[in-house]
Amino acid sequence: MSLTLHGYFRSSAAYRVRIALNLKGLSYEQASVHLRKGEQRKPAFLALNPQGMVPALIDGEAVLTQSPAILEYLDEVYPDTPPLLPADPLGRARVRALAAVVACDIHPLNNLRVLKYLTGPMGQSQETMAGWYNHWIAEGFGALETMLSGDAATGRFCHGDAPTLADVCLAPQVFNSFRHALDLTPYPTIQRLWEGYQDHPAFAAAHPAKQPDAE
Amino acid sequence: MSLTLHGYFRSSAAYRVRIALNLKGLSYEQASVHLRKGEQRKPAFLALNPQGMVPALIDGEAVLTQSPAILEYLDEVYPDTPPLLPADPLGRARVRALAAVVACDIHPLNNLRVLKYLTGPMGQSQETMAGWYNHWIAEGFGALETMLSGDAATGRFCHGDAPTLADVCLAPQVFNSFRHALDLTPYPTIQRLWEGYQDHPAFAAAHPAKQPDAE
């Protein structure tokens, strides 16, 4: 089998998939799609993903898009690798809910196309944009902090002592929050988890600064 | 077993869960959380869901949040009901990707808290807000139309001839698009699917106008 990840070093969604591939010990090629230069809207990439967004994962003949779908696919198709979801249905639901707080309620509001729309067609200042950016991260992190700190299921990672889809989504979002210098002090559990990610080889190797297209 | 859905008639995310429960033939109670009156931020509801968002599904002793997690949970825990995902991994990935276009890239930009932030703290006009609203639906529907019309796997529903998670997410988003009168003419496949949903009892019964808290 051959895996190729079309991504971008700073894309949170591509970063998630890199972590998952690393956690599962799957080797993969990387193809960089330069989002700031608009390569995601070129015909060659749109043929892979009509949405014009990264990541797209090529697995043999198949093209997979949307990181939440890719993460579930990897967990289903490579079951002999470390699982990204716990075995029990309520645990799976908890992990998926934590992941969705990031993937549905924080990240979509802060990705590049949205920020460009705010500062472009809507004519907002950089300062207003930065306020928007940090507002939605703080909303989400506040809820996540309560969900994590108030539940005995939280361990060294979001759910127990092994990484799950929740960590796969949270790590890129914490990295992302540094962009406009969000203060993480109100979120001690999230900070502790982030520090743990630094010590884990699968997370460390997926860090944007370590990617071939890092600037 | 006893199921109670805490939702709101016009919430897209609650609408998704209603459709899924109906497709699976599961009976449930409804508890209305009046979003416009801010009931989602009252202590009683925050105790159920620290995020202060609907839906929350109570299944016996368990509280489940985040509609994508709830939908997967229902499919895992009630396997003797019609499945919401196909059996093959690539089909499952396609359905989840279509669902994620709605759940991650359209709906999060247009929910009530975001619109309130635009017209409140950011001081944008109703007209600018409506433009924003329709812009993100059009972006997502344009991609979905290509993904659906260009793939032989699309049938009477998004994936084959039975409803899946993709339809569960798409139907509420189409309903949502009527709010600021988005023109659906450029999206004939989405229009055809929407018409099919009207004829399906599980979708019809989940329609916002049919809910006990409808205004």
Side-chain angles (χ1 to χ4, degrees), chain A residues 51 62 64 66 69 72 76-77 89-90 92-93 96-97 100-101 104-105 108-109 113 117 124 135 143, chain B residues 51 62 64 66 69 72 76-77 89-90 92-93 96-97 100-101 104-105 108 113 117 124 132 135 143:
Chain A
Q51 222 189 338
L64 298 136
Q66 282 288 345
E72 295 272 355
E76 289 179 350
V77 172
L90 285 175
R92 296 165 74 82
R96 286 183 172 126
V101 173
C104 299
D105 291 328
L109 293 158
R113 63 182 192 142
Y117 189 86
Q124 300 299 302
H135 174 78
Chain B
Q51 222 190 340
L64 299 136
Q66 283 289 345
E72 295 272 355
E76 289 179 351
V77 172
L90 285 175
R92 295 165 74 83
R96 286 183 172 126
V101 173
C104 299
D105 292 327
R113 64 182 190 142
Y117 189 86
Q124 301 298 302
W132 161 280
H135 173 78

mmCIF file of all heavy atoms in Angstrom, chain A residues 51 62 64 66 69 72 76-77 89-90 92-93 96-97 100-101 104-105 108-109 113 117 124 135 143, chain B residues 51 62 64 66 69 72 76-77 89-90 92-93 96-97 100-101 104-105 108 113 117 124 132 135 143:
data_model
loop_
_atom_site.group_PDB
_atom_site.id
_atom_site.type_symbol
_atom_site.label_atom_id
_atom_site.label_comp_id
_atom_site.label_asym_id
_atom_site.label_seq_id
_atom_site.Cartn_x
_atom_site.Cartn_y
_atom_site.Cartn_z
ATOM 1 N N GLN A 51 -13.568 20.438 -3.105
ATOM 2 C CA GLN A 51 -13.750 21.478 -2.094
ATOM 3 C C GLN A 51 -12.561 22.434 -2.053
ATOM 4 O O GLN A 51 -12.656 23.516 -1.462
ATOM 5 C CB GLN A 51 -13.954 20.822 -0.720
ATOM 6 C CG GLN A 51 -15.047 21.500 0.086
ATOM 7 C CD GLN A 51 -15.123 21.013 1.513
ATOM 8 O OE1 GLN A 51 -14.676 19.915 1.844
ATOM 9 N NE2 GLN A 51 -15.710 21.824 2.369
ATOM 10 N N ALA A 62 -7.525 5.160 -3.986
ATOM 11 C CA ALA A 62 -8.598 5.952 -3.373
ATOM 12 C C ALA A 62 -8.120 7.343 -2.962
ATOM 13 O O ALA A 62 -6.979 7.519 -2.534
ATOM 14 C CB ALA A 62 -9.151 5.219 -2.156
ATOM 15 N N LEU A 64 -9.160 10.307 -0.345
ATOM 16 C CA LEU A 64 -10.002 10.592 0.828
ATOM 17 C C LEU A 64 -9.874 12.053 1.200
ATOM 18 O O LEU A 64 -8.768 12.611 1.194
ATOM 19 C CB LEU A 64 -9.550 9.715 1.989
ATOM 20 C CG LEU A 64 -9.704 8.222 1.699
ATOM 21 C CD1 LEU A 64 -8.490 7.453 2.145
ATOM 22 C CD2 LEU A 64 -10.955 7.697 2.359
ATOM 23 N N GLN A 66 -11.574 15.395 3.862
ATOM 24 C CA GLN A 66 -12.167 15.757 5.150
ATOM 25 C C GLN A 66 -11.479 15.002 6.290
ATOM 26 O O GLN A 66 -11.702 13.805 6.492
ATOM 27 C CB GLN A 66 -13.687 15.504 5.177
ATOM 28 C CG GLN A 66 -14.487 16.565 4.455
ATOM 29 C CD GLN A 66 -14.540 17.897 5.206
ATOM 30 O OE1 GLN A 66 -14.210 17.965 6.385
ATOM 31 N NE2 GLN A 66 -14.933 18.938 4.514
ATOM 32 N N ALA A 69 -13.279 12.334 8.455
ATOM 33 C CA ALA A 69 -13.544 11.093 7.724
ATOM 34 C C ALA A 69 -12.261 10.290 7.537
ATOM 35 O O ALA A 69 -12.262 9.053 7.637
ATOM 36 C CB ALA A 69 -14.179 11.408 6.372
ATOM 37 N N GLU A 72 -11.279 8.509 10.891
ATOM 38 C CA GLU A 72 -12.107 7.316 11.139
ATOM 39 C C GLU A 72 -11.708 6.185 10.181
ATOM 40 O O GLU A 72 -11.653 5.010 10.566
ATOM 41 C CB GLU A 72 -13.598 7.650 10.944
ATOM 42 C CG GLU A 72 -14.159 8.654 11.945
ATOM 43 C CD GLU A 72 -14.688 8.012 13.233
ATOM 44 O OE1 GLU A 72 -14.722 6.764 13.327
ATOM 45 O OE2 GLU A 72 -15.065 8.760 14.151
ATOM 46 N N GLU A 76 -10.389 2.375 10.979
ATOM 47 C CA GLU A 76 -11.134 1.195 10.542
ATOM 48 C C GLU A 76 -10.297 0.270 9.661
ATOM 49 O O GLU A 76 -10.436 -0.954 9.717
ATOM 50 C CB GLU A 76 -12.388 1.630 9.763
ATOM 51 C CG GLU A 76 -13.449 2.250 10.646
ATOM 52 C CD GLU A 76 -14.692 2.707 9.878
ATOM 53 O OE1 GLU A 76 -14.665 2.716 8.621
ATOM 54 O OE2 GLU A 76 -15.674 3.059 10.533
ATOM 55 N N VAL A 77 -9.450 0.872 8.827
ATOM 56 C CA VAL A 77 -8.767 0.094 7.793
ATOM 57 C C VAL A 77 -7.432 -0.462 8.278
ATOM 58 O O VAL A 77 -6.920 -1.428 7.725
ATOM 59 C CB VAL A 77 -8.611 0.959 6.525
ATOM 60 C CG1 VAL A 77 -7.746 0.298 5.489
ATOM 61 C CG2 VAL A 77 -9.988 1.252 5.950
ATOM 62 N N PRO A 89 -18.702 2.064 23.718
ATOM 63 C CA PRO A 89 -19.474 3.081 22.979
ATOM 64 C C PRO A 89 -19.523 4.447 23.663
ATOM 65 O O PRO A 89 -19.427 5.472 22.984
ATOM 66 C CB PRO A 89 -20.876 2.481 22.891
ATOM 67 C CG PRO A 89 -20.676 1.015 23.025
ATOM 68 C CD PRO A 89 -19.493 0.824 23.922
ATOM 69 N N LEU A 90 -19.654 4.468 24.986
ATOM 70 C CA LEU A 90 -19.713 5.783 25.656
ATOM 71 C C LEU A 90 -18.360 6.474 25.618
ATOM 72 O O LEU A 90 -18.286 7.701 25.481
ATOM 73 C CB LEU A 90 -20.213 5.646 27.097
ATOM 74 C CG LEU A 90 -21.721 5.396 27.230
ATOM 75 C CD1 LEU A 90 -22.095 5.165 28.693
ATOM 76 C CD2 LEU A 90 -22.528 6.569 26.660
ATOM 77 N N ARG A 92 -16.173 6.053 23.216
ATOM 78 C CA ARG A 92 -16.038 6.500 21.821
ATOM 79 C C ARG A 92 -16.809 7.806 21.616
ATOM 80 O O ARG A 92 -16.334 8.732 20.964
ATOM 81 C CB ARG A 92 -16.557 5.425 20.863
ATOM 82 C CG ARG A 92 -15.741 4.144 20.919
ATOM 83 C CD ARG A 92 -16.460 2.970 20.266
ATOM 84 N NE ARG A 92 -16.483 3.030 18.810
ATOM 85 C CZ ARG A 92 -15.491 2.637 18.026
ATOM 86 N NH1 ARG A 92 -14.375 2.164 18.558
ATOM 87 N NH2 ARG A 92 -15.597 2.701 16.715
ATOM 88 N N ALA A 93 -18.011 7.855 22.200
ATOM 89 C CA ALA A 93 -18.819 9.072 22.055
ATOM 90 C C ALA A 93 -18.144 10.260 22.745
ATOM 91 O O ALA A 93 -18.157 11.384 22.228
ATOM 92 C CB ALA A 93 -20.218 8.842 22.616
ATOM 93 N N ARG A 96 -15.200 11.330 20.542
ATOM 94 C CA ARG A 96 -15.677 12.014 19.325
ATOM 95 C C ARG A 96 -16.268 13.387 19.655
ATOM 96 O O ARG A 96 -16.154 14.320 18.850
ATOM 97 C CB ARG A 96 -16.710 11.147 18.609
ATOM 98 C CG ARG A 96 -16.108 9.952 17.878
ATOM 99 C CD ARG A 96 -17.202 9.188 17.143
ATOM 100 N NE ARG A 96 -16.692 8.149 16.275
ATOM 101 C CZ ARG A 96 -17.081 6.854 16.331
ATOM 102 N NH1 ARG A 96 -17.980 6.474 17.220
ATOM 103 N NH2 ARG A 96 -16.580 5.974 15.480
ATOM 104 N N ALA A 97 -16.908 13.511 20.811
ATOM 105 C CA ALA A 97 -17.469 14.817 21.184
ATOM 106 C C ALA A 97 -16.347 15.818 21.446
ATOM 107 O O ALA A 97 -16.412 16.972 20.995
ATOM 108 C CB ALA A 97 -18.373 14.680 22.409
ATOM 109 N N ALA A 100 -14.996 16.846 18.235
ATOM 110 C CA ALA A 100 -15.918 17.705 17.486
ATOM 111 C C ALA A 100 -15.946 19.130 18.029
ATOM 112 O O ALA A 100 -16.191 20.076 17.277
ATOM 113 C CB ALA A 100 -17.328 17.112 17.484
ATOM 114 N N VAL A 101 -15.705 19.304 19.326
ATOM 115 C CA VAL A 101 -15.631 20.682 19.852
ATOM 116 C C VAL A 101 -14.554 21.447 19.074
ATOM 117 O O VAL A 101 -14.748 22.592 18.663
ATOM 118 C CB VAL A 101 -15.327 20.706 21.367
ATOM 119 C CG1 VAL A 101 -15.091 22.137 21.844
ATOM 120 C CG2 VAL A 101 -16.466 20.085 22.163
ATOM 121 N N CYS A 104 -15.536 21.047 14.846
ATOM 122 C CA CYS A 104 -16.768 21.684 14.379
ATOM 123 C C CYS A 104 -16.989 23.068 14.972
ATOM 124 O O CYS A 104 -17.670 23.881 14.365
ATOM 125 C CB CYS A 104 -17.992 20.819 14.709
ATOM 126 S SG CYS A 104 -17.960 19.195 13.952
ATOM 127 N N ASP A 105 -16.462 23.338 16.150
ATOM 128 C CA ASP A 105 -16.842 24.597 16.808
ATOM 129 C C ASP A 105 -15.703 25.583 17.018
ATOM 130 O O ASP A 105 -15.945 26.713 17.410
ATOM 131 C CB ASP A 105 -17.528 24.306 18.156
ATOM 132 C CG ASP A 105 -18.897 23.659 17.956
ATOM 133 O OD1 ASP A 105 -19.539 23.968 16.945
ATOM 134 O OD2 ASP A 105 -19.303 22.847 18.804
ATOM 135 N N PRO A 108 -13.242 25.586 12.350
ATOM 136 C CA PRO A 108 -13.880 26.098 11.120
ATOM 137 C C PRO A 108 -14.012 27.619 11.108
ATOM 138 O O PRO A 108 -14.119 28.217 10.035
ATOM 139 C CB PRO A 108 -15.269 25.448 11.137
ATOM 140 C CG PRO A 108 -15.112 24.228 11.982
ATOM 141 C CD PRO A 108 -14.109 24.601 13.031
ATOM 142 N N LEU A 109 -14.034 28.216 12.291
ATOM 143 C CA LEU A 109 -14.203 29.667 12.351
ATOM 144 C C LEU A 109 -12.891 30.402 12.129
ATOM 145 O O LEU A 109 -12.886 31.615 11.907
ATOM 146 C CB LEU A 109 -14.800 30.044 13.709
ATOM 147 C CG LEU A 109 -16.239 29.538 13.879
ATOM 148 C CD1 LEU A 109 -16.616 29.420 15.337
ATOM 149 C CD2 LEU A 109 -17.207 30.457 13.149
ATOM 150 N N ARG A 113 -9.452 30.634 4.915
ATOM 151 C CA ARG A 113 -10.464 31.214 4.016
ATOM 152 C C ARG A 113 -11.410 32.147 4.779
ATOM 153 O O ARG A 113 -11.859 33.160 4.233
ATOM 154 C CB ARG A 113 -11.247 30.115 3.277
ATOM 155 C CG ARG A 113 -12.027 29.225 4.208
ATOM 156 C CD ARG A 113 -12.780 28.092 3.509
ATOM 157 N NE ARG A 113 -13.704 27.510 4.473
ATOM 158 C CZ ARG A 113 -14.925 27.079 4.202
ATOM 159 N NH1 ARG A 113 -15.382 27.111 2.975
ATOM 160 N NH2 ARG A 113 -15.699 26.576 5.142
ATOM 161 N N TYR A 117 -11.837 36.206 4.331
ATOM 162 C CA TYR A 117 -13.149 36.802 4.066
ATOM 163 C C TYR A 117 -13.390 37.987 5.015
ATOM 164 O O TYR A 117 -13.938 39.017 4.620
ATOM 165 C CB TYR A 117 -14.255 35.755 4.231
ATOM 166 C CG TYR A 117 -15.619 36.232 3.768
ATOM 167 C CD1 TYR A 117 -16.004 36.127 2.440
ATOM 168 C CD2 TYR A 117 -16.532 36.795 4.668
ATOM 169 C CE1 TYR A 117 -17.262 36.567 2.010
ATOM 170 C CE2 TYR A 117 -17.776 37.239 4.257
ATOM 171 C CZ TYR A 117 -18.140 37.120 2.928
ATOM 172 O OH TYR A 117 -19.373 37.557 2.513
ATOM 173 N N GLN A 124 -12.577 44.041 7.553
ATOM 174 C CA GLN A 124 -12.239 44.158 8.969
ATOM 175 C C GLN A 124 -10.731 44.340 9.160
ATOM 176 O O GLN A 124 -9.931 43.879 8.343
ATOM 177 C CB GLN A 124 -12.693 42.899 9.723
ATOM 178 C CG GLN A 124 -14.186 42.640 9.638
ATOM 179 C CD GLN A 124 -15.009 43.776 10.241
ATOM 180 O OE1 GLN A 124 -14.853 44.106 11.404
ATOM 181 N NE2 GLN A 124 -15.871 44.380 9.431
ATOM 182 N N HIS A 135 -11.459 34.827 20.237
ATOM 183 C CA HIS A 135 -12.774 34.651 20.862
ATOM 184 C C HIS A 135 -13.272 33.214 20.719
ATOM 185 O O HIS A 135 -13.713 32.595 21.691
ATOM 186 C CB HIS A 135 -13.787 35.614 20.233
ATOM 187 C CG HIS A 135 -15.197 35.391 20.711
ATOM 188 N ND1 HIS A 135 -15.644 35.837 21.941
ATOM 189 C CD2 HIS A 135 -16.252 34.744 20.147
ATOM 190 C CE1 HIS A 135 -16.917 35.486 22.096
ATOM 191 N NE2 HIS A 135 -17.304 34.822 21.028
ATOM 192 N N ALA A 143 -15.012 25.436 27.288
ATOM 193 C CA ALA A 143 -15.865 24.249 27.386
ATOM 194 C C ALA A 143 -15.022 22.980 27.511
ATOM 195 O O ALA A 143 -15.303 22.109 28.333
ATOM 196 C CB ALA A 143 -16.784 24.164 26.170
ATOM 197 N N GLN B 51 -20.647 23.000 27.160
ATOM 198 C CA GLN B 51 -20.476 23.851 25.985
ATOM 199 C C GLN B 51 -21.673 24.787 25.784
ATOM 200 O O GLN B 51 -21.575 25.764 25.035
ATOM 201 C CB GLN B 51 -20.266 22.968 24.743
ATOM 202 C CG GLN B 51 -19.172 23.515 23.826
ATOM 203 C CD GLN B 51 -19.107 22.805 22.507
ATOM 204 O OE1 GLN B 51 -19.586 21.679 22.350
ATOM 205 N NE2 GLN B 51 -18.512 23.459 21.524
ATOM 206 N N ALA B 62 -26.577 8.057 30.661
ATOM 207 C CA ALA B 62 -25.516 8.747 29.919
ATOM 208 C C ALA B 62 -26.002 10.036 29.265
ATOM 209 O O ALA B 62 -27.142 10.128 28.817
ATOM 210 C CB ALA B 62 -24.944 7.822 28.854
ATOM 211 N N LEU B 64 -24.973 12.525 26.179
ATOM 212 C CA LEU B 64 -24.137 12.610 24.975
ATOM 213 C C LEU B 64 -24.279 13.990 24.362
ATOM 214 O O LEU B 64 -25.392 14.524 24.273
ATOM 215 C CB LEU B 64 -24.578 11.543 23.980
ATOM 216 C CG LEU B 64 -24.430 10.124 24.514
ATOM 217 C CD1 LEU B 64 -25.647 9.290 24.186
ATOM 218 C CD2 LEU B 64 -23.173 9.493 23.964
ATOM 219 N N GLN B 66 -22.599 16.862 21.160
ATOM 220 C CA GLN B 66 -22.002 16.984 19.818
ATOM 221 C C GLN B 66 -22.691 16.029 18.830
ATOM 222 O O GLN B 66 -22.463 14.817 18.837
ATOM 223 C CB GLN B 66 -20.491 16.732 19.847
ATOM 224 C CG GLN B 66 -19.699 17.905 20.374
ATOM 225 C CD GLN B 66 -19.661 19.086 19.400
ATOM 226 O OE1 GLN B 66 -19.983 18.962 18.211
ATOM 227 N NE2 GLN B 66 -19.280 20.244 19.900
ATOM 228 N N ALA B 69 -20.877 13.048 17.149
ATOM 229 C CA ALA B 69 -20.601 11.948 18.082
ATOM 230 C C ALA B 69 -21.874 11.180 18.402
ATOM 231 O O ALA B 69 -21.869 9.949 18.511
ATOM 232 C CB ALA B 69 -19.969 12.499 19.361
ATOM 233 N N GLU B 72 -22.842 8.851 15.417
ATOM 234 C CA GLU B 72 -22.006 7.634 15.371
ATOM 235 C C GLU B 72 -22.396 6.681 16.506
ATOM 236 O O GLU B 72 -22.445 5.457 16.325
ATOM 237 C CB GLU B 72 -20.518 8.011 15.496
ATOM 238 C CG GLU B 72 -19.962 8.839 14.334
ATOM 239 C CD GLU B 72 -19.431 7.990 13.179
ATOM 240 O OE1 GLU B 72 -19.404 6.741 13.293
ATOM 241 O OE2 GLU B 72 -19.049 8.584 12.146
ATOM 242 N N GLU B 76 -23.690 2.790 16.372
ATOM 243 C CA GLU B 76 -22.938 1.704 17.002
ATOM 244 C C GLU B 76 -23.765 0.939 18.032
ATOM 245 O O GLU B 76 -23.623 -0.274 18.181
ATOM 246 C CB GLU B 76 -21.690 2.271 17.696
ATOM 247 C CG GLU B 76 -20.627 2.740 16.720
ATOM 248 C CD GLU B 76 -19.393 3.337 17.398
ATOM 249 O OE1 GLU B 76 -19.408 3.560 18.626
ATOM 250 O OE2 GLU B 76 -18.416 3.593 16.678
ATOM 251 N N VAL B 77 -24.617 1.657 18.749
ATOM 252 C CA VAL B 77 -25.296 1.062 19.901
ATOM 253 C C VAL B 77 -26.632 0.425 19.513
ATOM 254 O O VAL B 77 -27.149 -0.431 20.223
ATOM 255 C CB VAL B 77 -25.470 2.135 20.999
ATOM 256 C CG1 VAL B 77 -26.324 1.651 22.149
ATOM 257 C CG2 VAL B 77 -24.096 2.532 21.522
ATOM 258 N N PRO B 89 -15.360 0.372 3.878
ATOM 259 C CA PRO B 89 -14.606 1.511 4.422
ATOM 260 C C PRO B 89 -14.563 2.735 3.507
ATOM 261 O O PRO B 89 -14.662 3.866 3.999
ATOM 262 C CB PRO B 89 -13.189 0.946 4.617
ATOM 263 C CG PRO B 89 -13.380 -0.527 4.748
ATOM 264 C CD PRO B 89 -14.554 -0.874 3.886
ATOM 265 N N LEU B 90 -14.434 2.535 2.208
ATOM 266 C CA LEU B 90 -14.382 3.708 1.325
ATOM 267 C C LEU B 90 -15.738 4.383 1.233
ATOM 268 O O LEU B 90 -15.838 5.607 1.155
ATOM 269 C CB LEU B 90 -13.878 3.326 -0.070
ATOM 270 C CG LEU B 90 -12.376 3.071 -0.165
ATOM 271 C CD1 LEU B 90 -11.994 2.586 -1.563
ATOM 272 C CD2 LEU B 90 -11.579 4.345 0.177
ATOM 273 N N ARG B 92 -17.925 4.354 3.668
ATOM 274 C CA ARG B 92 -18.065 5.035 4.968
ATOM 275 C C ARG B 92 -17.301 6.352 4.957
ATOM 276 O O ARG B 92 -17.794 7.382 5.447
ATOM 277 C CB ARG B 92 -17.539 4.140 6.098
ATOM 278 C CG ARG B 92 -18.346 2.874 6.275
ATOM 279 C CD ARG B 92 -17.624 1.825 7.123
ATOM 280 N NE ARG B 92 -17.604 2.138 8.535
ATOM 281 C CZ ARG B 92 -18.597 1.874 9.383
ATOM 282 N NH1 ARG B 92 -19.704 1.320 8.940
ATOM 283 N NH2 ARG B 92 -18.484 2.177 10.657
ATOM 284 N N ALA B 93 -16.096 6.328 4.371
ATOM 285 C CA ALA B 93 -15.295 7.556 4.302
ATOM 286 C C ALA B 93 -15.971 8.601 3.423
ATOM 287 O O ALA B 93 -15.957 9.794 3.735
ATOM 288 C CB ALA B 93 -13.898 7.243 3.782
ATOM 289 N N ARG B 96 -18.929 10.010 5.427
ATOM 290 C CA ARG B 96 -18.458 10.894 6.498
ATOM 291 C C ARG B 96 -17.869 12.187 5.944
ATOM 292 O O ARG B 96 -17.995 13.247 6.573
ATOM 293 C CB ARG B 96 -17.416 10.168 7.353
ATOM 294 C CG ARG B 96 -18.016 9.110 8.279
ATOM 295 C CD ARG B 96 -16.919 8.500 9.129
ATOM 296 N NE ARG B 96 -17.432 7.605 10.173
ATOM 297 C CZ ARG B 96 -17.039 6.344 10.331
ATOM 298 N NH1 ARG B 96 -16.142 5.811 9.512
ATOM 299 N NH2 ARG B 96 -17.535 5.613 11.310
ATOM 300 N N ALA B 97 -17.238 12.122 4.777
ATOM 301 C CA ALA B 97 -16.682 13.348 4.186
ATOM 302 C C ALA B 97 -17.809 14.285 3.756
ATOM 303 O O ALA B 97 -17.754 15.502 3.996
ATOM 304 C CB ALA B 97 -15.776 13.014 2.998
ATOM 305 N N ALA B 100 -19.174 15.846 6.750
ATOM 306 C CA ALA B 100 -18.261 16.827 7.338
ATOM 307 C C ALA B 100 -18.235 18.137 6.552
ATOM 308 O O ALA B 100 -17.985 19.199 7.137
ATOM 309 C CB ALA B 100 -16.855 16.240 7.448
ATOM 310 N N VAL B 101 -18.486 18.082 5.253
ATOM 311 C CA VAL B 101 -18.568 19.345 4.504
ATOM 312 C C VAL B 101 -19.650 20.230 5.139
ATOM 313 O O VAL B 101 -19.459 21.430 5.339
ATOM 314 C CB VAL B 101 -18.870 19.110 2.998
ATOM 315 C CG1 VAL B 101 -19.122 20.438 2.286
ATOM 316 C CG2 VAL B 101 -17.721 18.364 2.314
ATOM 317 N N CYS B 104 -18.666 20.560 9.369
ATOM 318 C CA CYS B 104 -17.426 21.272 9.716
ATOM 319 C C CYS B 104 -17.221 22.538 8.893
ATOM 320 O O CYS B 104 -16.539 23.448 9.360
ATOM 321 C CB CYS B 104 -16.214 20.377 9.536
ATOM 322 S SG CYS B 104 -16.214 18.904 10.560
ATOM 323 N N ASP B 105 -17.744 22.595 7.679
ATOM 324 C CA ASP B 105 -17.383 23.730 6.825
ATOM 325 C C ASP B 105 -18.530 24.671 6.459
ATOM 326 O O ASP B 105 -18.293 25.720 5.877
ATOM 327 C CB ASP B 105 -16.694 23.227 5.540
ATOM 328 C CG ASP B 105 -15.325 22.627 5.846
ATOM 329 O OD1 ASP B 105 -14.676 23.120 6.785
ATOM 330 O OD2 ASP B 105 -14.916 21.674 5.159
ATOM 331 N N PRO B 108 -20.986 25.443 11.052
ATOM 332 C CA PRO B 108 -20.354 26.165 12.176
ATOM 333 C C PRO B 108 -20.227 27.663 11.937
ATOM 334 O O PRO B 108 -20.137 28.438 12.896
ATOM 335 C CB PRO B 108 -18.952 25.536 12.275
ATOM 336 C CG PRO B 108 -19.099 24.188 11.648
ATOM 337 C CD PRO B 108 -20.111 24.366 10.544
ATOM 338 N N ARG B 113 -24.836 31.653 17.521
ATOM 339 C CA ARG B 113 -23.834 32.387 18.310
ATOM 340 C C ARG B 113 -22.893 33.180 17.406
ATOM 341 O O ARG B 113 -22.435 34.262 17.775
ATOM 342 C CB ARG B 113 -23.052 31.425 19.218
ATOM 343 C CG ARG B 113 -22.235 30.415 18.453
ATOM 344 C CD ARG B 113 -21.490 29.420 19.350
ATOM 345 N NE ARG B 113 -20.558 28.683 18.487
ATOM 346 C CZ ARG B 113 -19.333 28.307 18.825
ATOM 347 N NH1 ARG B 113 -18.877 28.564 20.031
ATOM 348 N NH2 ARG B 113 -18.560 27.663 17.986
ATOM 349 N N TYR B 117 -22.479 37.259 17.152
ATOM 350 C CA TYR B 117 -21.173 37.909 17.308
ATOM 351 C C TYR B 117 -20.942 38.910 16.168
ATOM 352 O O TYR B 117 -20.404 40.004 16.391
ATOM 353 C CB TYR B 117 -20.059 36.853 17.328
ATOM 354 C CG TYR B 117 -18.701 37.414 17.701
ATOM 355 C CD1 TYR B 117 -18.304 37.536 19.029
ATOM 356 C CD2 TYR B 117 -17.800 37.820 16.717
ATOM 357 C CE1 TYR B 117 -17.064 38.050 19.378
ATOM 358 C CE2 TYR B 117 -16.547 38.335 17.043
ATOM 359 C CZ TYR B 117 -16.188 38.448 18.380
ATOM 360 O OH TYR B 117 -14.955 38.962 18.715
ATOM 361 N N GLN B 124 -21.813 44.438 12.649
ATOM 362 C CA GLN B 124 -22.144 44.302 11.233
ATOM 363 C C GLN B 124 -23.664 44.441 11.018
ATOM 364 O O GLN B 124 -24.459 44.111 11.901
ATOM 365 C CB GLN B 124 -21.677 42.938 10.701
ATOM 366 C CG GLN B 124 -20.181 42.713 10.839
ATOM 367 C CD GLN B 124 -19.369 43.730 10.043
ATOM 368 O OE1 GLN B 124 -19.522 43.855 8.843
ATOM 369 N NE2 GLN B 124 -18.521 44.481 10.741
ATOM 370 N N TRP B 132 -22.752 37.026 4.484
ATOM 371 C CA TRP B 132 -21.859 36.039 5.108
ATOM 372 C C TRP B 132 -22.520 34.664 5.122
ATOM 373 O O TRP B 132 -21.942 33.664 4.712
ATOM 374 C CB TRP B 132 -21.542 36.520 6.532
ATOM 375 C CG TRP B 132 -21.028 35.518 7.510
ATOM 376 C CD1 TRP B 132 -21.766 34.613 8.221
ATOM 377 C CD2 TRP B 132 -19.657 35.310 7.899
ATOM 378 N NE1 TRP B 132 -20.944 33.869 9.041
ATOM 379 C CE2 TRP B 132 -19.651 34.275 8.869
ATOM 380 C CE3 TRP B 132 -18.457 35.911 7.534
ATOM 381 C CZ2 TRP B 132 -18.483 33.818 9.476
ATOM 382 C CZ3 TRP B 132 -17.283 35.455 8.148
ATOM 383 C CH2 TRP B 132 -17.301 34.419 9.093
ATOM 384 N N HIS B 135 -22.853 33.198 1.718
ATOM 385 C CA HIS B 135 -21.539 32.931 1.125
ATOM 386 C C HIS B 135 -21.036 31.548 1.504
ATOM 387 O O HIS B 135 -20.591 30.770 0.651
ATOM 388 C CB HIS B 135 -20.534 33.998 1.574
ATOM 389 C CG HIS B 135 -19.122 33.707 1.149
ATOM 390 N ND1 HIS B 135 -18.680 33.932 -0.136
ATOM 391 C CD2 HIS B 135 -18.064 33.184 1.818
ATOM 392 C CE1 HIS B 135 -17.400 33.571 -0.240
ATOM 393 N NE2 HIS B 135 -17.005 33.123 0.936
ATOM 394 N N ALA B 143 -19.216 22.773 -3.644
ATOM 395 C CA ALA B 143 -18.351 21.590 -3.542
ATOM 396 C C ALA B 143 -19.181 20.316 -3.441
ATOM 397 O O ALA B 143 -18.906 19.317 -4.112
ATOM 398 C CB ALA B 143 -17.434 21.715 -2.332
#
